[in-house]
Amino acid sequence: MNRSEFAARIDHTVLGPETRPSDVERVVDEAEAHGMNACIPPCYVAAAREQAPDLTIATVVGFPHGQHATIAKREEAATAWRDGADELDVVINVGRLHAGEDGEVRDELAEIVAAVPIPVKVIIETALLSREEKHRACKLARDADAAFVKTSTGFADGGATVEDVELMAEYLPVKASGGVGSYEEAMAMFDAGAERIGASSGVALVEGFPADE
């Protein structure tokens, strides 16, 4: 993997509750300058698309807790797509998964996937799940025709781990997100089977790429 290929697998991210338009503008500029993608709040997608017509833009749905009504998640997904999003990161309803309501979880995800013609990544929030629940969540995402599974929102204790990425990669391509702050940590996730990294430190990751690789 060369530096350009590495950068293209990084979703440079800003999703905090105090995110301002200027923060998104900066992240979009940095993503373009370094050959990354951007992951931003849904309210800023239309402006970001106007700012960067050719940039791959991801946004979030049902973020960060996943407990919105299904119709709200579906409409949020469709609105984000119409505003110009290329990919959606949808938060699973962890409470329903804990309760064993697997059919409801799968059906909600399938409804969102069917509502848009763009890839949907399912955030399973690994820090809140047992190993058995991680397997179930990934299977449900696969059964719903999701394109990816993603480790974390970044708002629960804990983030991406090599062990979780290895487990999740048995089912779908993985986006490792949460706590990946260096080139070395990113490579550990790629070596474990991740296809994409989500990180607010995207610039540091790309700039940490060794000059001789």
Side-chain angles (χ1 to χ4, degrees):
M1 185 188 321
N2 61 33
R3 180 173 174 147
S4 295
E5 292 167 338
F6 177 84
R9 296 169 70 178
I10 305 297
D11 289 359
H12 190 34
T13 301
V14 59
L15 290 171
E18 296 180 284
T19 299
R20 302 177 184 184
S22 59
D23 298 320
V24 173
E25 291 169 6
R26 171 184 55 79
V27 163
V28 167
D29 283 342
E30 290 172 345
E32 282 199 303
H34 290 80
M36 299 180 287
N37 316 304
C39 186
I40 61 174
C43 61
Y44 299 125
V45 168
R49 175 50 68 211
E50 185 173 350
Q51 177 185 347
D54 299 323
L55 182 68
T56 296
I57 296 174
T59 192
V60 289
V61 173
F63 198 84
H65 299 307
Q67 294 185 315
H68 301 57
T70 298
I71 189 173
K73 286 171 133 176
R74 186 187 70 212
E75 290 305 310
E76 186 175 33
T79 298
W81 165 60
R82 289 192 295 267
D83 283 348
D86 299 294
E87 301 174 352
L88 304 176
D89 293 11
V90 178
V91 186
I92 201 170
N93 190 320
V94 173
R96 289 198 183 279
L97 187 74
H98 283 331
E101 297 180 359
D102 290 14
E104 287 83 351
V105 172
R106 181 196 61 240
D107 291 349
E108 175 177 89
L109 294 174
E111 190 169 333
I112 295 166
V113 169
V116 293
I118 56 177
V120 172
K121 310 184 200 84
V122 175
I123 307 173
I124 68 170
E125 201 69 287
T126 50
L128 303 181
L129 305 182
S130 68
R131 184 173 179 83
E132 183 270 339
E133 287 172 329
K134 292 169 191 175
H135 279 289
R136 282 170 45 216
C138 290
K139 183 178 185 301
L140 294 171
R142 184 183 64 192
D143 291 348
D145 289 330
F148 274 74
V149 279
K150 177 178 171 181
T151 55
S152 315
T153 61
F155 288 87
D157 290 337
T161 68
V162 165
E163 180 182 13
D164 285 339
V165 169
E166 290 174 342
L167 181 155
M168 295 164 69
E170 297 175 16
Y171 296 89
L172 285 169
V174 177
K175 178 176 172 179
S177 184
V180 182
S182 69
Y183 164 79
E184 292 77 15
E185 290 169 341
M187 286 307 301
M189 297 302 163
F190 286 139
D191 289 343
E195 296 291 333
R196 196 80 68 85
I197 300 292
S200 59
S201 54
V203 172
L205 300 189
V206 175
E207 292 184 346
F209 193 93
D212 59 350
E213 293 192 22

